[in-house]
Amino acid sequence: MYNANKPDASELPSTGRLLKSTGIAVAVASALLVTVVLPAEYGVDPTRVGSLLGLTEMGRIKMQLAAEAEAEETAAPPAAAPVPAASAAPTAASATAGAPATRTDETVLTLAPDQGAEIKLVMEEGASVRYVWSSSGGRINYDIHADRPGTPYHGYGKGSSQREEGELVAAFTGSHGWFWRNRTGEPVTITLQTTGAYSEVKRVV
């Protein structure tokens, strides 16, 4: 079919212009990859721009937490050990038959640089616990999760902070709690306070 609107050859962009436009697009994409994507997603910052924008630390935290979560999923559950420096005296409270009474505990941990530790509460499905924890040093990485036979990892949340508080509601009957990793470069002390319906406090790592 005859096309009356066919453009003249002089109106079409030349090969040189097309190559130039393609080169500019590739250069812009490469710059964004190096200055934004690599620092924010992988903690890799060859130009130092990511550090100035605060993206590099975010990327490193993402990579650390992903590696720690993967290691927890693949590792066999270690035997529970007694919690050091913890007061474990339950408070009196009303409870239905067979359900754990409400109790309050304070657990204190000291972590060397790059050391990790995990505290779990044994809880029934639907039970809740109020918690607050703080670090004596700077921000440390944390991962709130649970496990049971057949379910090695169930995540509630993760991040990097110096202090967190909230309520944890058990998604199923099993062990629920916190994993911390000290990336500050200095020893830190973590103080965890818990109040709720759980039957045991145990240090897993």
Side-chain angles (χ1 to χ4, degrees):
M1 179 182 294
Y2 177 73
N3 187 354
N5 296 321
K6 181 178 180 180
D8 188 82
S10 62
E11 297 176 355
L12 297 175
S14 65
T15 302
R17 290 178 61 188
L18 290 174
L19 291 175
K20 183 178 179 180
S21 299
T22 302
I24 293 174
V26 170
V28 171
S30 299
L32 290 175
L33 174 67
V34 173
T35 60
V36 177
V37 177
L38 288 179
E41 296 298 326
Y42 304 101
V44 178
D45 189 13
T47 65
R48 307 297 297 170
V49 174
S51 297
L52 296 177
L53 298 177
L55 301 175
T56 305
E57 182 63 20
M58 179 176 68
R60 288 172 179 166
I61 291 172
K62 284 183 179 179
M63 296 300 293
Q64 291 166 1
L65 292 176
E68 289 161 7
E70 182 179 355
E72 285 189 8
E73 290 180 15
T74 57
V83 179
S87 59
T91 58
S94 61
T96 58
T102 299
R103 58 185 283 175
T104 297
D105 294 279
E106 180 177 275
T107 305
V108 180
L109 305 170
T110 299
L111 300 183
D114 295 324
Q115 183 182 4
E118 185 173 11
I119 295 295
K120 289 288 184 65
L121 310 180
V122 178
M123 302 173 65
E124 299 290 328
E125 180 178 353
S128 64
V129 59
R130 295 289 306 177
Y131 68 88
V132 56
W133 66 261
S134 60
S135 162
S136 64
R139 299 163 65 92
I140 60 174
N141 297 344
Y142 69 90
D143 184 343
I144 310 174
H145 61 278
D147 65 80
R148 64 177 175 181
T151 306
Y153 181 86
H154 174 83
Y156 292 114
K158 60 179 65 177
S160 178
S161 179
Q162 187 170 356
R163 183 182 185 277
E164 291 289 323
E165 65 177 303
E167 181 178 25
L168 192 159
V169 179
F172 49 74
T173 299
S175 299
H176 308 257
W178 303 262
F179 175 82
W180 298 276
R181 177 77 69 180
N182 176 18
R183 301 294 191 185
T184 65
E186 300 289 339
V188 300
T189 298
I190 299 173
T191 302
L192 168 68
Q193 296 175 326
T194 53
T195 298
Y198 53 94
S199 60
E200 183 183 353
V201 184
K202 57 183 180 179
R203 178 169 180 171
V204 181
V205 177

